[in-house]
Amino acid sequence: TGRGDSYRIEIWLAYLASTVDCGFVTGCGWGQKLGFVAADGAPIAHPHSLYVQHFYWGGVIGLSLLLASIVPPLIKGIRFSCYAAWPLLAGCIALVFDGNDFISTPNERWLLVLIPFALLVGQIARVEPIEGASTPTIDRLFTKVERF
């Protein structure tokens, strides 16, 4: 490990070991910081992986909740051939290598994940409306109203 991989392997192993010490089921607690210093003395502020960060904070439960909110719409979007599924998939892969918080101030994660996720949920809602929903669909909202 070293600067070639931006210390990621070393960082991830330290975060995973710390999570196991805290309790891998519930993690170390939301918002906890791990004062990690790389072998060459470089201070590391976060794990450079959204998934490792969520595992550190919330353990298996936290990581499972994160994945449960992303994976089903992603699978459904790919199955329905929604255009927003592919950028979301690319963003989710990018979050393996960077990121530490899912929802924060506007940053690149909004472009990589949150906007494609919102578009995908909207596309899925158009393709597969919720049974019993009384709100009008988007198609009905934008149809031309005929005059008497």
Side-chain angles (χ1 to χ4, degrees):
T1 63
R3 187 62 196 142
D5 59 10
S6 297
Y7 307 107
R8 279 177 172 76
I9 305 299
E10 186 179 348
I11 296 166
W12 294 345
L13 291 174
Y15 270 83
L16 294 176
S18 182
T19 304
V20 170
D21 290 343
C22 291
F24 74 95
V25 174
T26 58
C28 296
W30 231 253
Q32 289 292 322
K33 303 272 186 207
L34 178 65
F36 181 72
V37 178
D40 67 354
I44 306 298
H46 62 87
H48 299 284
S49 172
L50 180 81
Y51 307 108
V52 173
Q53 180 72 65
H54 272 72
F55 181 65
Y56 174 71
W57 280 344
V60 172
I61 294 171
L63 183 60
S64 297
L65 290 172
L66 174 69
L67 294 176
S69 67
I70 296 173
V71 172
L74 186 58
I75 291 171
K76 194 174 280 195
I78 291 170
R79 194 176 83 218
F80 289 147
S81 298
C82 297
Y83 67 84
W86 299 108
L88 177 60
L89 179 62
C92 289
I93 291 169
L95 291 176
V96 170
F97 303 103
D98 199 14
N100 63 327
D101 201 0
F102 192 60
I103 299 175
S104 61
T105 58
N107 58 28
E108 72 281 353
R109 279 183 295 287
W110 285 39
L111 294 174
L112 289 172
V113 178
L114 295 179
I115 292 173
F117 184 78
L119 291 171
L120 178 62
V121 170
Q123 286 181 307
I124 291 171
R126 290 183 77 183
V127 172
E128 187 181 72
I130 300 170
E131 285 186 40
S134 61
T135 56
T137 63
I138 292 174
D139 291 332
R140 282 189 263 159
L141 289 174
F142 292 106
T143 56
K144 187 174 181 180
V145 178
E146 294 185 30
R147 296 181 185 235
F148 292 90

